[in-house]
Amino acid sequence: MFSKTKIETSMKDICAKIQEADAIVIGAGAGLSTAAGYEYAGFNKYFSDFEEKYGIHDMYSGGFYPYDTLEEYWAWWSRHIYYNRYVDHLDLYQKLFQLVKDKDYFVLTTNVDHCFQKANFDKQRLFYTQGDYGLFQCSSPCHQETYDNEELIKKMIEQQKDMKIPTSLIPYCPHCGKPMTMNLRCDDTFVEDEGWHQAYFRYQDFIRRHQDLKIVYLELGVGQNTPGIIKYPFFRFVEKNKNATYICINKDTYCPQSMEKRAYCISEDIKNV
């Protein structure tokens, strides 16, 4: 049974739990970046021409639109990537880093905007499960490698006109020649490269080494799109370990009734908290 009753607590209690913890696992969803200032669902001035031509009203659905040409497809995606990956809104992430920097921590996130690393979190303590806006992969994919895209994306931004990039900037796979795409988990073509697998094993090892210790599972902005990645595993970890504490900050929070006494559910804006 789940409880959606707001669990009243004080920031003093939460700070004490964090300070006393042997380790902290941060589970971060899109709500954290939204609170930091990114606009995944909200449309903004950078896409008004696509909105006018195609009737697209949000950034998410625009990523699935069947554009007529690769020149137009990459005009859209270069803006999408640039404003969500290479334009920074890091104040909230930096405050979070200050909270945990002296603790034994690990970050599990479904976000693909790379904010943790840009805010000075240790790269070896991060697991981006769903990909990275900063990486390309083969659309087939014919091989399990990814490629940094910053230089090319910035050229696309600088050189696009009339909602199209120059044909010469279209990225193609260096192995099979098919068009490249983003390294985002949208379907079964998602590439889990060597870096992804190394991060996965580091996360599993961290959980194994701390599973019986005094550990805080800090969940931030995790919604209902993929609860099986962060939310439900955190529930299981806390239920199995009587020394564990679950802290959730989100607009809508809940937890199993069986762990209410070791849970702090705060239904407020993350930035304000």
Side-chain angles (χ1 to χ4, degrees):
M1 294 290 292
F2 289 118
S3 172
K4 298 196 72 169
T5 302
K6 183 175 179 181
I7 301 174
E8 299 293 344
T9 187
S10 70
M11 295 311 299
K12 183 178 180 180
D13 294 334
I14 291 175
C15 288
K17 288 295 182 181
I18 290 173
Q19 291 300 318
E20 295 168 1
D22 297 317
I24 298 173
V25 180
I26 297 172
L32 178 60
S33 284
T34 299
Y38 289 86
E39 297 183 40
Y40 291 115
F43 219 57
N44 57 50
K45 61 182 180 180
Y46 303 116
F47 300 92
S48 59
D49 48 355
F50 281 92
E51 182 177 31
E52 181 178 353
K53 181 175 181 179
Y54 293 112
I56 300 169
H57 299 298
D58 65 86
M59 206 177 299
Y60 180 79
S61 61
F64 293 94
Y65 193 90
Y67 301 104
D68 292 335
T69 67
L70 287 173
E71 287 84 356
E72 208 165 22
Y73 173 88
W74 282 111
W76 167 275
W77 269 107
S78 60
R79 294 188 213 176
H80 189 131
I81 293 168
Y82 180 76
Y83 292 110
N84 286 299
R85 174 66 170 77
Y86 298 116
V87 175
D88 295 339
H89 299 277
L90 297 179
D91 181 62
L92 181 57
Y93 279 87
Q94 290 166 339
K95 289 180 179 178
L96 180 59
F97 177 66
Q98 292 300 315
L99 182 69
V100 303
K101 67 177 183 177
D102 296 324
K103 305 295 293 186
D104 190 4
Y105 71 84
F106 204 99
V107 176
L108 173 68
T109 182
T110 54
N111 293 346
V112 294
D113 49 33
H114 218 60
C115 286
F116 283 101
Q117 195 164 327
K118 290 190 289 184
N120 295 318
F121 283 79
D122 184 352
K123 183 179 180 179
Q124 301 301 308
R125 294 173 177 266
L126 303 174
F127 180 26
Y128 294 93
T129 65
Q130 306 298 79
D132 183 346
Y133 276 139
L135 298 175
F136 286 155
Q137 65 167 72
C138 175
S139 59
S140 259
C142 70
H143 64 297
Q144 297 294 301
E145 294 180 38
T146 57
Y147 303 84
D148 289 339
N149 66 25
E150 182 174 5
E151 182 179 353
L152 187 56
I153 288 297
K154 289 182 177 179
K155 285 182 180 179
M156 291 180 185
I157 291 292
E158 293 168 358
Q159 298 182 35
Q160 64 180 256
K161 294 180 180 179
D162 300 322
M163 301 165 60
K164 293 181 179 180
I165 67 163
T167 302
S168 60
L169 294 182
I170 296 173
Y172 291 96
C173 176
H175 293 276
C176 71
K178 291 184 178 180
M180 299 287 265
T181 188
M182 289 64 59
N183 181 230
L184 304 176
R185 192 186 296 277
C186 300
D187 53 35
D188 60 2
T189 64
F190 176 67
V191 167
E192 297 175 355
D193 63 8
E194 182 178 354
W196 188 97
H197 285 285
Q198 289 176 351
Y200 169 79
F201 287 122
R202 286 194 296 269
Y203 171 67
Q204 292 295 323
D205 181 63
F206 188 92
I207 295 297
R208 178 188 58 78
R209 290 187 289 107
H210 297 86
Q211 60 185 347
D212 297 321
L213 300 180
K214 190 179 293 184
I215 184 168
V216 167
Y217 292 91
L218 177 59
E219 181 190 304
L220 302 169
V222 175
Q224 290 304 310
N225 287 336
T226 54
I229 296 175
I230 296 174
K231 185 180 293 290
Y232 294 164
F234 276 19
F235 288 168
R236 292 196 299 271
F237 296 152
V238 174
E239 286 183 319
K240 289 179 180 179
N241 177 9
K242 300 305 180 184
N243 295 314
T245 300
Y246 174 72
I247 300 172
C248 179
I249 307 174
N250 205 350
K251 291 293 182 67
D252 183 27
T253 64
Y254 63 92
C255 71
Q257 292 178 350
S258 58
M259 53 180 266
E260 275 189 345
K261 292 183 179 180
R262 290 180 289 115
Y264 297 86
C265 295
I266 306 170
S267 299
E268 304 288 347
D269 183 87
I270 297 172
K271 190 172 185 177
N272 293 339
V273 175

